[in-house]
Amino acid sequence: MIDHARDLASVREATDRLLTAAAKLDNASVAEPSRLPGWTRGHVLAHLARNADALVNVLEGRPMYLSATARDADIERDAPRPLDTQLSDVRESAARFQETGAAPADWSRTVELRNGVTDVAARVPFRRWVEVELHHVDLGIGYELEDLPAEFVEREIDFLAERFTGHPDVPPTRLTDGTRAWSTGREEGAAEVTVRGPAPELLGWLAGRRDGSGLSVEGGSLPSLPPL
């Protein structure tokens, strides 16, 4: 069962880590490239702020974004701002998300995210946790996949393995870190491929943050995963 209140606390802690780390930057380094193609660190910080507000919209029953075009335009608008403005925006939007999450609500209800994707409201805090942790890594400022909380890594592997389950372009695949195992891909009998490696490497590959070179593969080649 999803504990949304516990996840909200984890989001708060992850946000504090990110803000503390990003506060060591300066205006010049905010304008430098992040690890995401085509995005500066300013783009990443702007996206984090606007995503918090978008998830408030989701929890309050409004469209997550007015449109994909509006989402992208807001990020481009906000990306060039100076560091202090970026940090204030991330902090204040995170507080709005926490305030909305603390309000009495039916957490078993279904909510709609982008592109027609639906989920239970209780999973929205975890989705925000994903945004904060992975984009902290994307900033390229010393926080790596190996630094992520172990609980988060396991749950995000669970989430992404489930996301690719049944996908026609992904062969039946078994994932393992030597202790735990997951299955993903097409559901047609036994797994064709076993992908083995440390949990952060598995997460990096599933989340499109690493190329899988830190993994070993048995029974075939490393599957190509569709974009998230």
Side-chain angles (χ1 to χ4, degrees):
M1 186 173 181
I2 303 169
D3 186 343
H4 72 274
R6 188 165 182 268
D7 285 347
L8 282 167
S10 296
V11 171
R12 185 183 299 109
E13 292 167 4
T15 303
D16 288 345
R17 281 195 298 273
L18 183 147
L19 287 168
T20 298
K24 299 174 184 177
L25 300 173
D26 55 28
N27 290 336
S29 55
V30 168
E32 292 173 351
S34 72
R35 291 176 174 175
L36 293 177
W39 271 17
T40 66
R41 293 188 178 109
H43 283 87
V44 175
L45 293 171
H47 165 63
L48 280 168
R50 300 288 69 76
N51 172 263
D53 286 337
L55 291 176
V56 168
N57 288 338
V58 168
L59 290 175
E60 293 185 344
R62 297 185 295 273
M64 186 169 180
Y65 296 101
L66 291 177
S67 67
T69 300
R71 170 190 177 273
D72 294 345
D74 285 349
I75 294 170
E76 289 295 332
R77 178 198 66 208
D78 294 343
R81 298 175 302 177
L83 177 63
D84 59 346
T85 304
Q86 297 277 16
L87 297 182
S88 294
D89 194 13
V90 173
R91 186 179 297 106
E92 291 165 9
S93 59
R96 290 191 290 271
F97 177 74
Q98 290 288 335
E99 182 180 4
T100 302
D106 174 11
W107 287 95
S108 67
R109 72 191 187 281
T110 298
V111 295
E112 183 171 347
L113 296 111
R114 294 180 66 198
N115 304 320
V117 173
T118 60
D119 205 345
V120 293
R123 187 134 59 170
V124 171
F126 177 71
R127 286 178 175 272
R128 175 61 182 176
W129 192 11
V130 172
E131 294 285 330
V132 175
E133 293 285 18
L134 292 186
H135 286 315
H136 190 168
V137 174
D138 293 335
L139 286 171
I141 55 176
Y143 190 70
E144 304 296 341
L145 295 172
E146 288 75 13
D147 298 314
L148 295 169
E151 177 196 353
F152 171 81
V153 172
E154 182 172 358
R155 287 180 61 189
E156 179 64 351
I157 293 174
D158 287 341
F159 182 78
L160 292 173
E162 179 183 346
R163 181 166 182 168
F164 292 124
T165 295
H167 197 290
D169 297 331
V170 180
T173 302
R174 179 176 180 267
L175 313 170
T176 181
D177 64 356
T179 302
R180 296 154 297 185
W182 301 263
S183 60
T184 194
R186 294 191 301 272
E187 297 174 292
E188 48 183 46
E192 297 177 4
V193 178
T194 296
V195 178
R196 188 184 307 274
E201 290 285 355
L202 290 170
L203 172 56
W205 172 61
L206 288 167
R209 265 64 180 186
R210 291 189 180 167
D211 62 7
S213 58
L215 302 169
S216 62
V217 187
E218 303 164 10
S221 57
L222 187 68
S224 296
L225 298 176
L228 293 172

